[in-house]
């Protein structure tokens, strides 16, 4: 069992639904913004009850819940189904749908249509797209102009990890750091309401922060950003292996899940489960009547 510190969970009554103005207010007040991913109804219930601010239905769900070996193959309809399930469990945080690879790059029209599907069909409050090159900036602008809140994502962008040279930190020399900064500023100018900085040196994030007017959420970008995001399955240990360097693990749920199912299997095989407390009773006289009744006769309701 993990030994977690006791934490104060904000009560519903004192919590207001997260909105874009409230998010900006948090940045202005210097209040850290908490973002996490979720992919289904129970994870949505957990993160809502725990009191997070932003919930991303990340395309990381391709790997964490659908078992693909990268985020590239996941289909739009698959992510929409996950986003709908999250919506049913989420009340307070802002829900952001991640546009999957291939669902927004082709044209502004394609990007806007995909964003509309996340909002209209899945009930997302906002969408996120990856990259800060010309194409992504144009798509972010088109989505924002269509009236949908859009979040940017620079640094390590897993959908295009191949062209970035693999899953590795970005911005680790002056030119690469300048590129991250250029892209972040371009997305901000295009109308993004917030942006993710993924896997960049802490000092680079810190140097860019004074120029960011929109909330910046870091993942492997150090402590200078306005908030942090982690993948649900990484922080709770519902995975094999430890994951990226920036992950801090707060539980080992996969171990607990395996132990729980193994104990159940053991109980069934040893006939310890079900016990008398797990069964239903019938009044003795009814049982007597049943036993004495004609066997094999037509079933009749009492
Ligand atoms: O898909 C995802 O989980 C993400 C976060 C890591 C920001 O994009």
């Amino acid at each position: 069992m993990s030994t977690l510190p006791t934490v104060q969970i904000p009560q519903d009554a004192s919590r207001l639904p997260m909105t874009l103005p409230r998010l900006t207010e948090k940045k202005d007040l210097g209040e850290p913004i908490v973002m996490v991913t979720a992919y289904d109804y129970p994870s949505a219930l957990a993160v809502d009850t725990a009191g997070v601010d932003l919930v991303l239905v990340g395309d990381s769900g391709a790997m964490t819940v659908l078992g693909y070996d990268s985020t590239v193959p996941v289909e739009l309809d698959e992510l929409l189904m996950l986003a709908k399930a999250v919506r049913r469990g989420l009340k307070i945080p802002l829900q952001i749908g991640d546009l999957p690879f291939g669902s927004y790059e082709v044209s502004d029209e394609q990007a806007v249509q995909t964003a509309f599907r996340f909002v209209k069909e899945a009930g997302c409050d906002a969408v996120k797209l990856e990259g800060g090159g010309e194409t992504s900036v144009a798509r972010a602008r088109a989505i924002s102009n269509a009236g949908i809140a859009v979040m940017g994502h620079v640094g390590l962008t897993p959908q295009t990890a191949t062209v970035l040279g693999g899953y590795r930190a970005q911005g680790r020399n002056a030119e690469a750091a300048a590129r991250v900064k250029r892209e972040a500023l371009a997305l901000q100018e295009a109308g993004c309401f917030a942006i993710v900085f993924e896997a960049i040196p802490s000092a680079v994030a810190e140097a860019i922060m004074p120029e960011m007017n929109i909330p910046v959420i870091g993942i492997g970008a150090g402590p200078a950003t306005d908030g942090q995001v982690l993948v649900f399955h990484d922080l709770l240990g519902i995975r094999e292996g430890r994951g990226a360097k920036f992950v801090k693990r707060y539980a080992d749920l996969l171990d607990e899940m395996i132990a729980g199912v193994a104990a159940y299997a053991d109980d069934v095989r040893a006939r310890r489960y079900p016990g008398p407390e797990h069964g239903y009773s019938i009044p003795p006289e009814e049982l007597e009547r049943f036993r004495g009744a004609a066997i094999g006769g037509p079933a009749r309701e009492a």
Side-chain angles (χ1 to χ4, degrees):
M1 286 286 276
S2 54
T3 47
L4 293 176
T6 313
V7 291
Q8 200 69 38
I9 295 177
Q11 294 308 297
D12 250 0
S14 66
R15 294 173 61 209
L16 296 169
M18 183 51 64
T19 59
L20 299 189
R22 266 192 59 67
L23 198 63
T24 307
E25 193 180 292
K26 275 177 108 48
K27 176 182 173 76
D28 294 344
L29 294 172
E31 282 178 20
I33 298 164
V34 183
M35 174 163 149
V36 68
T37 64
Y39 313 100
D40 56 14
Y41 180 73
S43 58
L45 278 186
V47 301
D48 190 315
T49 309
V52 308
D53 302 309
L54 306 177
V55 173
L56 173 70
V57 186
D59 65 349
S60 49
M63 301 157 85
T64 57
V65 297
L66 297 178
Y68 292 114
D69 59 6
S70 81
T71 59
V72 169
V74 71
E75 294 291 341
L76 172 58
D77 284 331
E78 291 176 306
L79 275 193
L80 284 172
M81 193 186 74
L82 302 185
K84 288 178 197 177
V86 169
R87 182 73 279 165
R88 292 178 204 117
L90 217 59
K91 290 194 285 288
I92 304 281
L94 198 83
Q95 180 174 333
I96 303 158
D98 216 1
L99 306 189
F101 189 53
S103 73
Y104 61 95
E105 298 88 340
V106 175
S107 65
D108 286 354
E109 290 69 26
Q110 185 205 27
V112 172
Q113 262 161 20
T114 302
F116 273 133
R117 289 195 69 190
F118 273 95
V119 173
K120 287 167 70 95
E121 293 178 31
C124 287
D125 302 300
V127 297
K128 176 172 87 59
L129 53 69
E130 288 190 7
E134 235 175 81
T135 300
S136 292
V137 171
R139 303 301 172 253
R141 193 186 307 281
I143 293 170
S144 171
N145 285 343
I148 295 174
V150 56
M151 180 180 239
H153 182 159
V154 296
L156 173 57
T157 46
Q159 292 176 4
T160 45
T162 306
V163 294
L164 294 177
Y167 291 89
R168 46 205 288 231
Q170 301 295 305
R172 297 186 86 179
N173 61 45
E175 290 76 22
R179 178 177 161 197
V180 173
K181 177 175 173 179
R182 207 169 42 245
E183 294 184 347
L185 292 177
L187 287 164
Q188 173 169 267
E189 190 276 324
C192 287
F193 74 94
I195 187 165
V196 169
F197 284 5
E198 179 165 353
I200 63 170
S202 308
V204 171
E206 193 180 343
I208 302 173
M209 281 309 289
E211 302 200 40
M212 299 305 297
N213 311 316
I214 56 174
V216 177
I217 313 296
I219 174 164
T225 55
D226 300 301
Q228 299 292 330
V229 56
L230 277 179
V231 166
F232 186 83
H233 289 61
D234 287 346
L235 81 93
L236 293 179
I238 315 174
R239 56 166 296 149
E240 289 158 330
R242 291 213 68 84
K245 177 181 179 177
F246 51 73
V247 172
K248 180 170 176 184
R249 189 176 276 196
Y250 291 84
D252 286 306
L253 292 195
L254 183 59
D255 289 350
E256 289 200 32
M257 288 159 78
I258 294 168
V261 176
Y264 159 70
D266 220 39
D267 270 3
V268 171
R269 291 184 184 121
R271 301 190 185 283
R272 281 187 300 266
Y273 175 84
E277 70 277 26
H278 303 117
Y280 297 99
S281 65
I282 178 172
E285 63 278 13
E286 290 303 315
L287 185 58
E288 206 41 52
R289 255 177 13 96
F290 166 68
R291 282 182 171 147
I295 306 288
R300 283 175 50 195
E301 289 294 315

